[in-house]
Amino acid sequence: MSGRVEAGLLARKTAEDRDFITRAADLYAATLAKRPDILELLARFGIGPGSLDPAYRLGFSDGSLLRRLPPGSELHRSAAAAGRVADDGREVFADHITVAVFDAAHVVHGI
């Protein structure tokens, strides 16, 4: 993967969607930092601090994102608009390692 993301991809998102994606990436990174079991698993695959291009940031979704958002709230709607809510109402990335993709200005383009 080249680390390049089409400029139009972010342009199609609303400011609220971009803010939500950034906040989700921050939460996922903070969650990963608190999970030594997941960090150990990544280390077994040779993935650790400094091993990824700076255009990417690892995280881990423990499913807590949606629990932090009041059902029916604007933030919950932003989560759905950003593709973070599955058809069954669960967080799409629950129990998954995540990778936030940044542009040269360090703006999150997606997870």
Side-chain angles (χ1 to χ4, degrees):
M1 188 178 301
S2 70
R4 294 179 191 222
V5 178
E6 292 181 34
L9 180 66
L10 188 61
R12 287 191 296 259
K13 292 180 173 55
T14 66
E16 291 83 15
D17 293 340
R18 289 188 302 266
D19 181 58
F20 178 81
I21 291 169
T22 299
R23 292 169 65 183
D26 292 343
L27 173 65
Y28 294 152
T31 302
L32 177 61
K34 297 175 187 171
R35 292 292 303 263
D37 56 324
I38 304 300
L39 291 169
E40 182 180 315
L41 174 68
L42 290 169
R44 281 191 249 149
F45 289 101
I47 302 171
S51 66
L52 291 179
D53 183 296
Y56 305 99
R57 182 173 42 168
L58 287 177
F60 180 73
S61 170
D62 62 359
S64 66
L65 178 68
L66 293 182
R67 290 192 301 268
R68 295 169 183 252
L69 307 176
S73 69
E74 187 60 39
L75 283 173
H76 199 277
R77 284 189 288 278
S78 289
R84 302 299 171 254
V85 182
D87 291 339
D88 65 3
R90 290 177 20 101
E91 186 176 341
V92 170
F93 293 139
D95 299 320
H96 286 79
I97 294 167
T98 63
V99 181
V101 180
F102 295 86
D103 66 11
H106 207 66
V107 173
V108 177
H109 278 265
I111 299 173

